[in-house]
């Protein structure tokens, strides 16, 4: 892995950084506010790494929901990742070393980046995909850590914080629609 790959991946993931840090902080705060220890938020980001699933898991845990019901609910929520994975089959075909991690780390935002950006010249595709995925997860875990620690130290009014992930999805959707419309205008202007 070279520094050029890291620099390009950092630039590519800036929008996800902004969203994941803020949503990760919100998740850490929600976790601590529900009565769980601060370290659970970043641990879930490392072991589970499914933002919406993590936000959903906290109230399910708190309500004493049976483990099988939690697993079924999480499966239904995250089944979309199977559909996301289909367009990436060809992209990941040459990824030998990192394919298991790339599959694990696939989130809505990472999918969006991997399907709308070009692998930069001079960078191996596998390294680029891995670095984008790793940075995205790092942002989420970092935000969760900050939120968990802040929630443990400072009392917060949690009104509206659980809406943060929904707001992130809305912003990213609007960004993708604007990019699509702009590309279509350029295509039609060239014809």
């Amino acid at each position: 892995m070279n520094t050029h790959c890291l620099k390009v991946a950092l630039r590519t993931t800036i929008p996800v950084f902004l969203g994941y840090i803020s949503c990760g902080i919100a998740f850490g705060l929600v976790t601590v506010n529900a009565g769980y220890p601060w370290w659970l938020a970043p641990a879930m980001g490392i072991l589970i790494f499914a933002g919406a699933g993590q936000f959903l898991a906290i109230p399910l845990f708190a309500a004493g929901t049976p483990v099988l019901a939690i697993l079924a609910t999480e499966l239904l929520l995250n089944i979309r990742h199977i559909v996301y994975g289909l367009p990436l089959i060809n992209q990941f075909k040459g990824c030998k070393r990192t394919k298991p991690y790339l599959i694990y780390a696939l989130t809505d935002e990472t999918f969006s980046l991997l399907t709308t950006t070009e692998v930069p010249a001079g960078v191996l595709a596998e390294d680029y995909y891995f670095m984008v995925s790793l940075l995205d997860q790092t942002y989420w875990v970092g935000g969760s850590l900050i939120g968990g620690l802040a929630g443990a130290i400072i009392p917060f009014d949690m009104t509206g914080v659980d809406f943060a992930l929904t707001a992130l999805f809305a912003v990213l959707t609007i960004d993708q629609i604007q990019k699509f419309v702009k590309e279509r205008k350029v295509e039609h202007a060239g014809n």
Side-chain angles (χ1 to χ4, degrees):
M1 190 106 31
N2 60 39
T3 55
H4 176 62
C5 178
L6 176 61
K7 287 177 186 174
V8 171
L10 279 168
R11 277 194 307 270
T12 301
T13 60
I14 287 172
V16 176
F17 167 78
L18 297 172
Y20 274 11
I21 286 292
S22 58
C23 285
I25 290 170
F27 176 69
L29 293 171
V30 166
T31 302
V32 171
N33 191 57
Y36 294 103
W38 67 267
W39 54 263
L40 183 62
M44 286 178 74
I46 293 167
L47 300 173
I48 299 170
F49 190 41
Q54 289 174 237
F55 270 101
L56 179 61
I58 295 301
L60 292 175
F61 291 156
T65 305
V67 174
L68 287 177
I70 293 173
L71 291 174
T73 304
E74 292 289 342
L75 176 65
L76 289 173
L77 176 66
N78 291 304
I79 199 118
R80 69 189 185 281
H81 291 264
I82 293 170
V83 177
Y84 283 170
L86 295 176
L88 294 173
I89 289 173
N90 287 333
Q91 277 183 251
F92 289 175
K93 197 174 279 187
C95 301
K96 304 293 184 218
R97 298 172 287 126
T98 61
K99 188 184 282 186
Y101 177 74
L102 294 174
I103 293 167
Y104 163 74
L106 186 61
T107 63
D108 302 345
E109 296 77 16
T110 302
F111 172 82
S112 178
L113 292 178
L114 295 181
T115 57
T116 60
T117 61
E118 297 289 326
V119 175
V123 174
L124 294 174
E126 181 174 10
D127 291 346
Y128 177 72
Y129 301 151
F130 175 76
M131 189 55 63
V132 166
S133 301
L134 182 64
L135 286 171
D136 286 353
Q137 185 176 17
T138 301
Y139 303 149
W140 179 261
V141 171
S144 298
L145 175 64
I146 293 166
L149 288 171
I153 297 169
I154 307 163
F156 279 92
D157 175 10
M158 299 303 294
T159 307
V161 171
D162 53 353
F163 184 70
L165 193 61
T166 304
L168 173 63
F169 289 142
V171 168
L172 290 173
T173 300
I174 291 167
D175 183 54
Q176 289 301 311
I177 291 169
Q178 288 174 336
K179 188 180 291 186
F180 177 78
V181 169
K182 188 177 190 179
E183 288 172 1
R184 292 294 174 240
K185 285 181 181 178
V186 169
E187 285 177 14
H188 289 307
N191 291 332

